[in-house]
Amino acid sequence: MSLDDSEDCGCTGDPERAVDDPQYRRALWIVIILNVGFGMIELAAGFLAASQALKADALDFLGDGSITFIGLLALGWTASTRARVALAQGLFLAALGVSVIGAAIWRMFDMVQPEAGIMGWVGFVALLINLAAVFVLARFRKGGDAQARAIWLFSRNDALANVAVIVAAGLVYWLGSAWPDIIVAAAIAFLFLHSALEIIRHARSDMKTQQIA
């Protein structure tokens, strides 16, 4: 999408408007508080419920919160620096995905059925938290800036992952098996990797554009 297209649709994700827009900064602070605060709660719940999917989702929350904080700091930087930050975000997400896949494989050899009730309730609250974050960031998602796209993708993917956790909780209860929990944890990890590749691709494109300019 070009800058003109962005302005026509009323989006505010392009670099200059993002830097100067106090509403964008306020949105980022809201997302940081939501992600870090609930991420700590969900991580504790993951250990309490012995749920690999909850732990993976909690790491996603905490990772998103810290990455979004970096994004907030990056708003005052140059476009080329923001592109490099977005590239770092993509690489971080890829590393997180690989680590979650490794943990899921390890759990296959140490099967413990998680507490489906805790999984379901925590997954539902997590979904509400992420829907709130998606709503806050929705107006910024279509800008040409890789930084804005990265933050939007983080929150969108969290909401999708939360739905998967809720479904896994129901299957754990119905089947009496830990496999749905492990499968969802792996699925969340592959979602990390997909978004990481998209973020890296856009960031590299932005970096090349800045070099040409």
Side-chain angles (χ1 to χ4, degrees), residues 2 4 8 25 29 57 62-63 76 85 88 102 106 109 122 128 130 141 188-189 195-196 205 209:
S2 68
D4 291 338
D8 289 341
R25 292 177 179 272
W29 276 115
D57 197 44
L62 294 172
V85 170
W106 175 81
F109 300 97
V122 174
L128 296 180
N130 274 309
R141 73 186 185 278
I188 292 174
S195 293
S205 176
T209 299

Coordinates of all heavy atoms in Angstrom, one line a residue, residues 2 4 8 25 29 57 62-63 76 85 88 102 106 109 122 128 130 141 188-189 195-196 205 209:
S2 N 0.5 2.2 -0.8 CA 1.3 3.4 -0.9 C 0.8 4.4 0.2 O -0.2 4.2 0.8 CB 1.0 4.1 -2.3 OG -0.3 4.5 -2.4
D4 N -0.3 7.3 -0.3 CA -1.6 7.9 -0.7 C -2.8 7.0 -0.4 O -3.8 7.4 0.1 CB -1.6 8.2 -2.2 CG -0.7 9.3 -2.6 OD1 -0.4 10.1 -1.7 OD2 -0.3 9.4 -3.8
D8 N -6.0 7.7 2.1 CA -7.3 7.6 1.6 C -8.2 6.7 2.6 O -9.4 7.0 2.7 CB -7.4 6.9 0.2 CG -6.8 7.9 -0.8 OD1 -6.8 9.1 -0.5 OD2 -6.4 7.5 -1.9
R25 N 1.0 6.5 20.3 CA 1.8 6.2 21.5 C 0.9 5.7 22.7 O 1.3 4.8 23.4 CB 2.5 7.5 22.0 CG 3.6 8.0 21.0 CD 4.2 9.3 21.5 NE 5.2 9.7 20.6 CZ 6.5 9.4 20.7 NH1 6.9 8.6 21.6 NH2 7.4 9.8 19.8
W29 N 1.2 2.0 24.7 CA 1.3 1.9 26.2 C 0.2 0.9 26.7 O 0.4 0.1 27.6 CB 1.2 3.2 26.9 CG 2.5 3.9 27.0 CD1 2.9 5.1 26.4 CD2 3.7 3.5 27.7 NE1 4.2 5.4 26.7 CE2 4.7 4.5 27.5 CE3 4.0 2.4 28.5 CZ2 6.0 4.4 28.0 CZ3 5.2 2.3 29.1 CH2 6.2 3.3 28.8
D57 N 1.6 -19.5 25.2 CA 0.9 -18.3 25.0 C 1.3 -17.2 25.9 O 1.4 -16.0 25.6 CB -0.6 -18.6 25.2 CG -1.5 -17.5 24.6 OD1 -1.2 -17.1 23.5 OD2 -2.5 -17.1 25.3
L62 N 4.4 -12.0 27.0 CA 5.5 -11.3 27.5 C 6.5 -10.8 26.4 O 7.0 -9.7 26.5 CB 6.3 -12.2 28.5 CG 5.5 -12.6 29.8 CD1 6.3 -13.7 30.5 CD2 5.3 -11.4 30.6
G63 N 6.7 -11.6 25.4 CA 7.5 -11.2 24.3 C 6.9 -10.0 23.5 O 7.6 -9.1 23.2
G76 N 10.6 7.5 17.8 CA 11.3 8.8 17.6 C 12.6 8.6 16.8 O 13.3 9.5 16.6
V85 N 14.7 -2.3 13.7 CA 14.1 -2.8 14.9 C 13.0 -3.9 14.6 O 12.9 -4.9 15.2 CB 13.4 -1.6 15.7 CG1 12.5 -2.1 16.8 CG2 14.5 -0.7 16.3
A88 N 14.7 -7.1 13.9 CA 15.1 -7.7 15.2 C 13.8 -8.4 15.8 O 13.9 -9.5 16.4 CB 15.7 -6.7 16.1
G102 N 10.6 -26.9 20.4 CA 11.5 -27.8 21.2 C 10.8 -28.2 22.5 O 10.9 -29.4 22.9
W106 N 9.8 -32.0 23.7 CA 10.2 -32.6 25.0 C 9.1 -33.1 25.8 O 9.1 -34.2 26.4 CB 11.0 -31.5 25.8 CG 11.4 -32.0 27.2 CD1 12.4 -32.7 27.5 CD2 10.6 -31.7 28.4 NE1 12.4 -32.9 28.9 CE2 11.3 -32.3 29.4 CE3 9.5 -31.0 28.7 CZ2 10.9 -32.2 30.8 CZ3 9.0 -30.9 30.0 CH2 9.8 -31.5 31.0
F109 N 7.6 -36.7 25.5 CA 8.3 -37.8 26.2 C 8.0 -37.7 27.7 O 8.5 -38.6 28.5 CB 9.8 -37.8 25.9 CG 10.1 -37.9 24.5 CD1 10.4 -36.8 23.7 CD2 10.2 -39.2 23.9 CE1 10.7 -37.0 22.4 CE2 10.5 -39.3 22.6 CZ 10.8 -38.2 21.8
V122 N -8.5 -19.4 31.6 CA -7.4 -18.5 31.3 C -7.3 -18.2 29.8 O -7.1 -17.0 29.4 CB -6.1 -19.1 31.8 CG1 -4.9 -18.3 31.4 CG2 -6.1 -19.3 33.3
L128 N -10.0 -12.2 25.5 CA -10.6 -10.9 25.8 C -9.5 -9.8 25.8 O -9.7 -8.7 25.2 CB -11.4 -10.9 27.1 CG -12.6 -11.7 27.1 CD1 -13.3 -11.6 28.5 CD2 -13.6 -11.4 26.0
N130 N -6.6 -9.9 24.3 CA -6.0 -9.7 23.0 C -7.0 -9.0 22.1 O -6.5 -8.2 21.2 CB -5.5 -11.0 22.4 CG -4.1 -11.4 22.8 OD1 -3.2 -10.5 22.7 ND2 -3.9 -12.5 23.4
R141 N -3.0 -0.7 11.4 CA -2.4 -1.9 10.9 C -2.0 -1.8 9.4 O -1.2 -2.6 9.0 CB -3.4 -3.1 11.1 CG -4.6 -3.0 10.1 CD -5.6 -4.1 10.5 NE -6.7 -4.1 9.6 CZ -7.8 -3.3 9.6 NH1 -7.8 -2.4 10.5 NH2 -8.8 -3.5 8.7
I188 N 1.0 -22.8 18.0 CA 1.3 -21.4 18.3 C 2.7 -21.1 17.9 O 3.0 -20.0 17.4 CB 1.2 -21.2 19.9 CG1 -0.3 -21.3 20.3 CG2 1.7 -19.9 20.3 CD1 -0.5 -21.2 21.8
A189 N 3.6 -22.1 18.1 CA 5.0 -21.9 17.6 C 5.1 -21.7 16.1 O 5.8 -20.8 15.7 CB 5.8 -23.1 18.1
S195 N 4.6 -15.5 11.2 CA 4.6 -14.0 11.4 C 6.0 -13.5 11.3 O 6.3 -12.4 10.8 CB 4.0 -13.6 12.7 OG 2.6 -13.9 12.7
A196 N 7.0 -14.2 11.9 CA 8.3 -13.8 11.9 C 8.8 -13.6 10.4 O 9.5 -12.6 10.1 CB 9.2 -14.8 12.6
S205 N 12.4 -5.2 3.1 CA 12.0 -4.3 2.1 C 12.1 -2.8 2.4 O 12.5 -2.0 1.6 CB 10.5 -4.7 1.7 OG 10.0 -3.8 0.7
T209 N 14.4 0.1 0.7 CA 13.8 1.3 0.2 C 14.6 2.5 0.8 O 14.8 3.5 0.0 CB 12.3 1.4 0.6 OG1 11.6 0.3 0.1 CG2 11.7 2.7 0.2

